[in-house]
Amino acid sequence: MKEIRKQEASLNRSIWSEVLKEAKKILAEQAEMNDFIRSYVLDHQELDSSLAFILGEKLGDSHMTAKIINKFAKEAYSKTKLISLACCDIMAVKDRDPACVRFVQPLLYFKGFQALQAYRLGNHLYTEGKEDIAFFIQMRSSEVFGVDIHPAAQIGKSIMIDHAHSIVIGETTVVGNNVSMLHNVTLGGTGKDIGDRHPKVGDGVLLGAGCSVLGNITIGRCSKVASGSVVLSSVPE
């Protein structure tokens, strides 16, 4: 357990170090970005502070302010592995998205990554019994990012959501590790069932753009679901 924690801490430091290096390079080359880069990255000592600030800025409104969201995020990051998950997600995007050439890009610019971190915060709050705050985060994420993920859904690590327009993930969905999905993916119900009614997506699955996977079915490990398809029965590994 101690060795795992050391590895996680090392990864977190490594990712943050790269983000800082890239942010400083942006400032050196594009001085007009000064306020944005400093507020989002350089004014922070660690990734947890930076990400909490970003989520606050993105999700806060006049009633549930950025400061309140920031506070909830910082508290969550101090006692969970959410930052390690965020680092794994950044690496997944960097590894799998050919448009991503720097670690700083998902953190600052990619709404798929930002929406996923909003879900992770909402999921933590949901499991802590703060359901209405979790639903507020779900609502704001849908409004801001166009991504609607129920806070009770279970999503693994190293996830890439590319472009992220119109992603819908239902309440009893389970998504494994190392999953990639493109825009307009629905992991939903058929409308005929109650209870456990959403898909179970195995590790390493690729969900193509515009696909709809409906019902309590299984998408087997390392499968590829074609763009535009409607899947109503289980898919083998």
Side-chain angles (χ1 to χ4, degrees):
M1 183 62 71
K2 288 183 178 180
E3 185 60 33
I4 292 174
R5 288 174 180 169
K6 285 182 180 179
Q7 291 173 359
E8 290 175 347
S10 177
L11 173 63
N12 297 354
R13 287 193 299 270
S14 177
I15 294 293
W16 181 240
S17 176
E18 290 298 318
V19 167
L20 284 176
K21 187 188 306 180
E22 293 164 359
K24 290 174 182 177
K25 188 172 187 291
I26 292 171
L27 267 193
E29 296 175 350
Q30 301 167 78
E32 300 84 354
M33 299 286 288
N34 180 72
D35 288 349
F36 175 75
I37 293 298
R38 289 197 178 280
S39 295
Y40 275 54
V41 179
L42 297 182
D43 286 348
H44 304 278
Q45 297 298 314
E46 303 288 347
L47 180 60
D48 54 0
S49 176
S50 172
L51 185 54
F53 177 84
I54 290 169
L55 291 182
E57 291 294 295
K58 294 289 184 179
L59 300 176
D61 68 8
S62 58
H63 303 288
M64 285 283 285
T65 64
K67 187 175 181 180
I68 294 172
I69 301 297
N70 184 305
K71 173 177 174 289
F72 279 120
K74 282 186 173 179
E75 288 175 352
Y77 296 155
S78 70
K79 59 184 180 181
T80 68
K81 294 185 177 182
L82 290 182
I83 287 299
S84 292
L85 289 173
C87 288
C88 290
D89 295 334
I90 288 175
M91 290 185 64
V93 177
K94 177 69 164 53
D95 288 344
R96 295 180 223 152
D97 183 355
C100 182
V101 296
R102 296 170 296 165
F103 291 98
V104 76
Q105 285 175 272
L107 181 67
L108 295 183
Y109 310 126
F110 289 6
K111 71 176 185 178
F113 171 81
Q114 293 172 348
L116 180 60
Q117 305 320 307
Y119 149 77
R120 294 197 188 284
L121 174 59
N123 175 257
H124 165 73
L125 293 169
Y126 188 89
T127 59
E128 292 265 295
K130 298 181 175 69
E131 293 185 5
D132 286 289
I133 300 170
F135 287 133
F136 174 85
I137 289 173
Q138 178 191 5
M139 176 192 73
R140 288 293 292 152
S141 185
S142 180
E143 293 171 348
V144 172
F145 303 121
V147 175
D148 194 343
I149 306 176
H150 195 286
Q154 300 176 47
I155 300 179
K157 67 179 182 179
S158 300
I159 305 297
M160 182 192 75
I161 304 179
D162 192 18
H163 297 294
H165 297 295
S166 302
I167 298 288
V168 176
I169 299 178
E171 178 183 13
T172 60
T173 302
V174 178
V175 176
N177 301 322
N178 302 305
V179 170
S180 299
M181 64 183 76
L182 280 69
H183 55 283
N184 198 30
V185 166
T186 297
L187 302 177
T190 63
K192 300 176 182 178
D193 300 310
I194 60 174
D196 192 357
R197 61 196 183 279
H198 295 111
K200 311 298 179 277
V201 179
D203 295 347
V205 167
L206 171 62
L207 300 168
C211 74
S212 295
V213 183
L214 306 178
N216 187 11
I217 60 176
T218 298
I219 304 300
R221 183 176 62 89
C222 295
S223 298
K224 295 181 180 180
V225 178
S227 296
S229 61
V230 178
V231 184
L232 300 174
S233 57
S234 292
V235 175
E237 292 187 358

Coordinates of all heavy atoms in Angstrom, one line a residue, residues 41-86:
V41 N -3.0 28.2 -13.5 CA -1.9 27.3 -13.2 C -0.9 27.9 -12.3 O -0.6 27.4 -11.2 CB -1.2 26.9 -14.5 CG1 0.0 25.9 -14.2 CG2 -2.2 26.2 -15.5
L42 N -0.2 29.0 -12.7 CA 1.0 29.4 -12.0 C 0.7 30.0 -10.6 O 1.7 30.1 -9.8 CB 1.7 30.5 -12.9 CG 2.2 29.9 -14.2 CD1 3.0 31.0 -15.0 CD2 3.1 28.7 -14.0
D43 N -0.5 30.4 -10.3 CA -0.8 30.9 -8.9 C -1.0 29.7 -7.9 O -1.3 30.0 -6.7 CB -2.0 31.8 -8.9 CG -1.8 33.1 -9.5 OD1 -0.6 33.5 -9.7 OD2 -2.8 33.8 -9.8
H44 N -0.8 28.5 -8.4 CA -1.1 27.3 -7.5 C 0.2 26.5 -7.3 O 1.0 26.4 -8.2 CB -2.2 26.5 -8.2 CG -3.4 27.2 -8.5 ND1 -4.4 27.5 -7.6 CD2 -3.8 27.9 -9.7 CE1 -5.4 28.2 -8.1 NE2 -5.1 28.4 -9.4
Q45 N 0.2 25.9 -6.1 CA 1.4 25.1 -5.8 C 1.3 23.7 -6.2 O 2.3 23.0 -6.4 CB 1.6 25.2 -4.2 CG 1.9 26.5 -3.7 CD 3.2 27.1 -4.2 OE1 4.2 26.5 -4.3 NE2 3.1 28.4 -4.6
E46 N 0.1 23.2 -6.3 CA -0.1 21.8 -6.7 C -1.3 21.7 -7.7 O -2.1 22.6 -7.8 CB -0.4 20.9 -5.4 CG 0.6 21.0 -4.3 CD 1.9 20.2 -4.7 OE1 1.8 19.5 -5.7 OE2 2.9 20.4 -4.0
L47 N -1.4 20.5 -8.3 CA -2.5 20.2 -9.2 C -3.8 20.3 -8.6 O -4.8 20.8 -9.2 CB -2.3 18.9 -9.9 CG -3.4 18.5 -10.9 CD1 -3.4 19.4 -12.1 CD2 -3.1 17.0 -11.4
D48 N -3.9 19.9 -7.3 CA -5.3 19.9 -6.6 C -5.8 21.3 -6.5 O -7.0 21.5 -6.8 CB -5.2 19.2 -5.3 CG -4.1 19.7 -4.4 OD1 -3.4 20.7 -4.8 OD2 -4.0 19.3 -3.2
S49 N -5.0 22.2 -6.2 CA -5.4 23.6 -6.1 C -5.8 24.2 -7.5 O -6.9 24.9 -7.6 CB -4.3 24.5 -5.5 OG -4.7 25.8 -5.5
S50 N -5.0 23.9 -8.5 CA -5.3 24.3 -9.8 C -6.6 23.8 -10.3 O -7.5 24.5 -10.8 CB -4.2 24.0 -10.8 OG -4.5 24.2 -12.1
L51 N -6.8 22.5 -10.2 CA -8.0 21.8 -10.7 C -9.3 22.3 -9.9 O -10.3 22.5 -10.5 CB -7.9 20.3 -10.6 CG -9.0 19.5 -11.2 CD1 -9.3 19.9 -12.7 CD2 -8.7 18.0 -11.1
A52 N -9.1 22.4 -8.6 CA -10.3 22.9 -7.8 C -10.7 24.3 -8.3 O -11.9 24.7 -8.4 CB -9.9 22.9 -6.3
F53 N -9.7 25.2 -8.6 CA -10.0 26.5 -9.0 C -10.7 26.5 -10.4 O -11.7 27.2 -10.6 CB -8.7 27.3 -9.2 CG -8.9 28.7 -9.7 CD1 -9.2 29.7 -8.9 CD2 -8.7 28.9 -11.1 CE1 -9.4 31.0 -9.4 CE2 -8.9 30.2 -11.6 CZ -9.2 31.3 -10.8
I54 N -10.2 25.6 -11.3 CA -10.8 25.5 -12.6 C -12.3 25.1 -12.5 O -13.2 25.6 -13.2 CB -10.0 24.6 -13.5 CG1 -8.6 25.2 -13.8 CG2 -10.7 24.2 -14.8 CD1 -7.6 24.3 -14.5
L55 N -12.5 24.0 -11.7 CA -13.9 23.5 -11.6 C -14.8 24.6 -11.0 O -16.0 24.8 -11.4 CB -13.9 22.3 -10.7 CG -13.3 21.0 -11.4 CD1 -13.4 19.8 -10.4 CD2 -13.9 20.7 -12.7
G56 N -14.3 25.4 -10.0 CA -15.0 26.5 -9.4 C -15.4 27.5 -10.5 O -16.5 27.9 -10.6
E57 N -14.4 27.9 -11.3 CA -14.6 28.9 -12.3 C -15.7 28.4 -13.4 O -16.5 29.2 -13.9 CB -13.3 29.3 -13.0 CG -12.4 30.0 -12.1 CD -12.9 31.4 -11.8 OE1 -13.1 32.2 -12.7 OE2 -13.1 31.6 -10.6
K58 N -15.6 27.1 -13.7 CA -16.5 26.6 -14.7 C -17.9 26.3 -14.2 O -18.8 26.6 -14.9 CB -15.9 25.3 -15.3 CG -14.6 25.4 -16.0 CD -14.7 26.1 -17.4 CE -13.4 26.1 -18.1 NZ -13.6 26.7 -19.5
L59 N -18.0 25.8 -13.0 CA -19.3 25.3 -12.5 C -20.1 26.3 -11.6 O -21.3 26.2 -11.4 CB -19.1 24.0 -11.8 CG -18.5 22.9 -12.6 CD1 -18.2 21.7 -11.7 CD2 -19.3 22.5 -13.8
G60 N -19.4 27.3 -11.0 CA -20.0 28.2 -10.1 C -21.0 29.1 -10.8 O -20.9 29.4 -12.0
D61 N -22.0 29.5 -10.1 CA -22.9 30.6 -10.6 C -23.2 31.6 -9.5 O -22.5 31.6 -8.5 CB -24.2 29.9 -11.1 CG -25.1 29.3 -10.0 OD1 -24.8 29.5 -8.8 OD2 -26.1 28.6 -10.4
S62 N -24.2 32.4 -9.7 CA -24.4 33.5 -8.7 C -24.8 33.0 -7.4 O -24.7 33.8 -6.4 CB -25.4 34.5 -9.3 OG -26.6 33.9 -9.6
H63 N -25.4 31.8 -7.3 CA -25.9 31.3 -6.0 C -24.9 30.3 -5.4 O -24.6 30.4 -4.2 CB -27.2 30.7 -6.2 CG -28.2 31.7 -6.8 ND1 -28.8 32.7 -6.0 CD2 -28.8 31.8 -8.0 CE1 -29.6 33.4 -6.8 NE2 -29.6 32.8 -8.0
M64 N -24.5 29.3 -6.2 CA -23.4 28.4 -5.8 C -22.2 28.9 -6.4 O -21.9 28.5 -7.6 CB -23.8 26.9 -6.2 CG -24.8 26.3 -5.4 SD -24.2 25.7 -3.8 CE -23.3 24.2 -4.4
T65 N -21.5 29.7 -5.7 CA -20.4 30.5 -6.3 C -19.1 29.6 -6.6 O -19.0 28.5 -6.1 CB -19.9 31.6 -5.4 OG1 -19.4 31.1 -4.2 CG2 -21.1 32.5 -5.1
A66 N -18.2 30.1 -7.4 CA -17.0 29.5 -7.7 C -16.2 29.1 -6.4 O -15.6 28.1 -6.2 CB -16.1 30.3 -8.6
K67 N -16.3 30.0 -5.4 CA -15.6 29.8 -4.1 C -16.2 28.6 -3.4 O -15.4 27.8 -2.8 CB -15.8 31.1 -3.2 CG -15.0 31.0 -2.0 CD -15.1 32.3 -1.2 CE -14.3 32.3 0.1 NZ -14.4 33.6 0.8
I68 N -17.5 28.4 -3.5 CA -18.1 27.2 -2.8 C -17.7 25.9 -3.5 O -17.3 24.9 -2.8 CB -19.6 27.4 -2.8 CG1 -20.1 28.5 -1.9 CG2 -20.3 26.1 -2.3 CD1 -21.5 28.9 -2.0
I69 N -17.7 25.9 -4.8 CA -17.3 24.7 -5.6 C -15.8 24.4 -5.3 O -15.4 23.2 -5.1 CB -17.6 24.9 -7.1 CG1 -19.1 25.1 -7.3 CG2 -17.1 23.6 -7.8 CD1 -20.0 24.0 -7.0
N70 N -15.0 25.5 -5.3 CA -13.6 25.3 -5.0 C -13.4 24.7 -3.7 O -12.5 23.8 -3.5 CB -13.0 26.7 -5.1 CG -11.5 26.7 -4.9 OD1 -10.9 26.2 -4.0 ND2 -10.7 27.3 -5.9
K71 N -14.1 25.1 -2.7 CA -14.0 24.6 -1.3 C -14.3 23.1 -1.3 O -13.6 22.3 -0.7 CB -14.9 25.3 -0.4 CG -15.0 24.8 1.0 CD -15.9 25.7 1.9 CE -16.1 25.1 3.3 NZ -17.0 23.9 3.3
F72 N -15.4 22.7 -1.9 CA -15.8 21.3 -2.0 C -14.7 20.4 -2.7 O -14.4 19.3 -2.2 CB -17.2 21.1 -2.7 CG -18.3 21.4 -1.8 CD1 -19.3 22.4 -2.1 CD2 -18.6 20.6 -0.6 CE1 -20.4 22.6 -1.3 CE2 -19.7 20.9 0.2 CZ -20.6 21.9 -0.2
A73 N -14.2 21.0 -3.8 CA -13.2 20.2 -4.5 C -11.9 20.1 -3.7 O -11.4 18.9 -3.6 CB -12.9 20.9 -5.8
K74 N -11.5 21.1 -3.0 CA -10.2 21.0 -2.2 C -10.4 20.0 -1.1 O -9.5 19.2 -0.8 CB -9.9 22.4 -1.7 CG -9.2 23.3 -2.7 CD -8.7 24.6 -2.0 CE -7.9 25.4 -3.0 NZ -7.4 26.7 -2.4
E75 N -11.6 20.0 -0.4 CA -11.8 19.1 0.6 C -11.8 17.6 0.1 O -11.2 16.7 0.7 CB -13.2 19.4 1.3 CG -13.2 20.6 2.1 CD -14.6 21.0 2.7 OE1 -15.6 20.3 2.2 OE2 -14.7 21.9 3.5
A76 N -12.4 17.4 -1.1 CA -12.4 16.1 -1.7 C -11.0 15.6 -2.0 O -10.6 14.5 -1.8 CB -13.3 16.1 -2.9
Y77 N -10.2 16.5 -2.6 CA -8.9 16.2 -3.0 C -8.0 15.9 -1.9 O -7.0 15.1 -2.0 CB -8.3 17.3 -3.9 CG -9.0 17.5 -5.2 CD1 -9.0 18.7 -5.8 CD2 -9.8 16.5 -5.8 CE1 -9.7 19.0 -7.0 CE2 -10.5 16.7 -7.0 CZ -10.4 17.9 -7.6 OH -11.1 18.2 -8.7
S78 N -8.3 16.5 -0.7 CA -7.4 16.3 0.4 C -7.6 14.9 1.1 O -6.7 14.4 1.8 CB -7.7 17.3 1.5 OG -8.9 17.2 2.1
K79 N -8.7 14.2 0.8 CA -8.9 12.9 1.5 C -9.3 11.8 0.5 O -9.7 10.7 1.0 CB -10.0 13.1 2.5 CG -11.4 13.6 2.0 CD -12.4 13.8 3.1 CE -13.7 14.3 2.6 NZ -14.7 14.5 3.7
T80 N -9.1 11.9 -0.8 CA -9.4 10.9 -1.7 C -8.2 10.7 -2.7 O -7.2 11.5 -2.7 CB -10.7 11.2 -2.5 OG1 -10.4 12.3 -3.4 CG2 -11.8 11.5 -1.6
K81 N -8.4 9.8 -3.7 CA -7.5 9.6 -4.7 C -7.9 10.3 -6.0 O -7.4 10.0 -7.1 CB -7.3 8.1 -5.0 CG -6.7 7.4 -3.9 CD -6.4 5.9 -4.2 CE -5.7 5.2 -3.1 NZ -5.5 3.8 -3.5
L82 N -8.8 11.3 -5.9 CA -9.3 12.0 -7.1 C -8.2 12.7 -7.9 O -8.3 12.7 -9.2 CB -10.4 13.0 -6.7 CG -11.7 12.4 -6.2 CD1 -12.7 13.5 -5.9 CD2 -12.3 11.4 -7.2
I83 N -7.2 13.2 -7.3 CA -6.1 13.8 -8.1 C -5.3 12.8 -8.8 O -4.9 13.0 -10.0 CB -5.2 14.7 -7.2 CG1 -5.9 16.0 -6.7 CG2 -3.9 15.1 -7.9 CD1 -6.4 16.9 -7.9
S84 N -5.1 11.7 -8.2 CA -4.4 10.6 -8.9 C -5.2 10.1 -10.1 O -4.6 9.8 -11.2 CB -4.1 9.4 -8.0 OG -3.2 9.7 -7.0
L85 N -6.5 10.1 -10.0 CA -7.4 9.7 -11.1 C -7.3 10.8 -12.2 O -7.3 10.5 -13.4 CB -8.8 9.5 -10.6 CG -9.1 8.3 -9.8 CD1 -10.5 8.4 -9.2 CD2 -8.9 7.0 -10.6
A86 N -7.2 12.0 -11.8 CA -7.1 13.1 -12.7 C -5.8 13.0 -13.5 O -5.8 13.2 -14.8 CB -7.2 14.5 -12.0

